Amino acid sequence: MTKSDGSATIALIASDVGVSVTTVSKVLNGRSDVAARTRELVEASLQRHGYRRRSRRPPAVTGHVDLVFHEFDTAWAMEVIRGVEEVTSPARVELVISQLGGRHRPPRHWADDVLHRSPLGVLLVLCHPTESQRRLLARQRIPFVVLDTDSATAASVPTVGSNNFNGGLLATRHLIELGHRRIAVVSGPADVLCSRARVAGFRSAHDEAGLPVDPAFVRYGAFTGQAGYEHGMQLLGSADRPTAVFAGSDTQAMGMIRAARRLGLAVPADVSIVGYDNVPISAWAATPLTTVDQHVADMAGTAARMLLDLARGIDVPTTRIDLVTELIVRETTGPPASPSAGPLPAPAPSAGPLPAPAPSVSPSPAVSPAPAPSVSPSPSPSPFA
């Protein structure tokens, strides 16, 4: 008879599957020396009998948290680390940081590695464990929280994000209110939920203003400066270019600004650009960036607090938290020069790799952080100079 009250024993599971108690123990401990088919049968029996492993963790929360990024080569990722550390450091909890090389699903061996480290919990950023990995973590009583998830999640998955739809809506409304009618959007990867949500907000702003969306002006790409630069060269290098662009990240927007300057376009006189994230450097660019603040550090801190509560055995009041987004208007947006953009003053160079900034414009520790008033809007090889 199947038990469902959590009183099932390892011996019962072993008898049900027809394997030794040692084999069941190996599966529970995430050992790799068990045949895949045997592991599946044992896991199915564990779930069927409602097996609950007794926690051997002491009441006090001590140890480390695994912070797993899909990739962390952006300023956005640094803000996430800062927000998490502001919560874990006072709690004397250490961080172990890893990345998945751009993947949004951990590889099969990932859960085994996590069990070997035995963390207090796992915080996943823009990635999501598979169903079998979730079951394995649950059996080991290792809680996890997903930050800014790449896809829709079940109500049982603790998730912290921001209102990406509203962010796209705010950015596009701002551009429309300035008088722009030819507006492009370059969002993040098409297979990431937040990217699609921002584009949905972009479209909604057009709908409420009674404006059509040019399909050629809707682009997806990586959240990187290189992607912003390449899309910028393509979009802004055409005779029927947009007069404004909503970028999927501040880094993307910086690449877009560099493309505009290489094409001889002034920002915002010839093209307005809005970023997303409000990372610190966006306020200190030569032309401070208008952007959508999704309060990245606060979002990360909220996720970290939720994870530590779960590690302490405290039930969280809600499993889904979306922080508000806010438009920060700075100096990269303004009214369009004319109702429609005319041809470029010179033929556009081909969109090649992002040129390296000239050494003379590299920031120096002796330079004051305030933007220099003498900076001109003339073309520059970098948006930071």
Side-chain angles (χ1 to χ4, degrees):
M1 179 177 178
T2 300
K3 297 184 178 182
S4 59
D5 59 358
S7 62
T9 64
I10 292 179
L12 173 65
I13 302 302
S15 176
D16 179 50
V17 180
V19 297
S20 67
V21 170
T22 301
T23 299
V24 176
S25 180
K26 286 181 178 180
V27 173
L28 286 169
N29 288 305
R31 294 273 295 275
S32 58
D33 54 342
V34 179
R37 178 57 181 163
T38 302
R39 183 185 299 275
E40 291 175 1
L41 291 172
V42 172
E43 288 180 344
S45 181
L46 290 167
Q47 186 174 15
R48 187 166 59 252
H49 288 279
Y51 178 83
R52 294 290 183 271
R53 184 168 184 167
R54 293 181 180 179
S55 174
R56 291 176 292 182
R57 183 173 294 149
V61 176
T62 58
H64 76 273
V65 165
D66 272 18
L67 178 58
V68 184
F69 288 87
H70 81 296
E71 59 184 353
F72 52 50
D73 60 347
T74 63
W76 182 88
M78 295 306 299
E79 282 297 285
V80 171
I81 294 172
R82 182 172 70 85
V84 172
E85 201 275 340
E86 286 178 354
V87 173
T88 57
S89 182
R92 304 209 171 184
V93 172
E94 297 180 345
L95 288 180
V96 173
I97 303 173
S98 61
Q99 67 167 335
L100 302 178
R103 295 187 298 270
H104 296 288
R105 291 291 179 275
R108 293 187 63 178
H109 62 78
W110 173 81
D112 293 335
D113 295 341
V114 171
L115 295 183
H116 179 73
R117 290 190 295 270
S118 188
L120 295 170
V122 182
L123 180 55
L124 299 110
V125 183
L126 264 179
C127 52
H128 195 94
T130 64
E131 182 62 32
S132 63
Q133 290 168 343
R134 286 172 52 189
R135 289 198 301 267
L136 187 56
L137 292 175
R139 278 200 302 274
Q140 299 299 314
R141 297 198 176 184
I142 297 176
F144 72 93
V145 175
V146 177
L147 176 65
D148 205 13
T149 178
D150 65 302
S151 61
T153 57
S156 60
V157 177
T159 306
V160 178
S162 68
N163 194 329
N164 289 286
F165 175 89
N166 191 59
L169 184 69
L170 291 174
T172 313
R173 276 179 179 169
H174 170 63
L175 294 171
I176 291 173
E177 288 168 359
L178 287 171
H180 293 278
R181 297 298 179 263
R182 294 179 56 77
I183 307 171
V185 58
V186 180
S187 195
D191 62 346
V192 174
L193 182 65
C194 65
S195 302
R196 300 194 300 272
R198 293 170 196 176
V199 172
F202 169 86
R203 292 184 183 278
S204 182
H206 280 77
D207 289 343
E208 68 180 17
L211 298 174
V213 173
D214 186 338
F217 286 178
V218 179
R219 305 286 187 97
Y220 292 90
F223 288 120
T224 64
Q226 181 69 42
Y229 176 79
E230 291 173 355
H231 282 291
M233 293 297 289
Q234 295 167 12
L235 286 167
L236 304 179
S238 61
D240 58 347
R241 63 177 173 83
T243 63
V245 182
F246 167 39
S249 72
D250 289 344
T251 308
Q252 238 185 29
M254 295 295 179
M256 187 77 61
I257 292 172
R258 180 176 291 187
R261 290 179 174 173
R262 188 176 183 190
L263 292 167
L265 299 173
V267 178
D270 297 316
V271 59
S272 289
I273 295 176
V274 179
Y276 205 102
D277 292 332
N278 194 31
V279 295
I281 193 63
S282 65
W284 298 105
T287 307
L289 182 67
T290 295
T291 187
V292 175
D293 190 350
Q294 63 170 336
H295 306 284
V296 178
D298 290 342
M299 189 166 60
T302 299
R305 281 188 288 272
M306 180 185 288
L307 184 63
L308 292 185
D309 281 347
L310 291 171
R312 296 184 181 104
I314 301 172
D315 290 333
V316 294
T318 179
T319 58
R320 175 75 203 192
I321 298 175
D322 278 326
L323 274 65
V324 297
T325 49
E326 178 185 4
L327 180 68
I328 307 297
V329 179
R330 296 193 179 109
E331 299 176 27
T332 58
T333 52
S338 61
S340 63
L344 293 176
S350 60
L354 187 62
S360 61
V361 298
S362 299
S364 165
V367 176
S368 170
S374 60
V375 174
S376 68
S378 59
S380 168
S382 168
F384 298 98

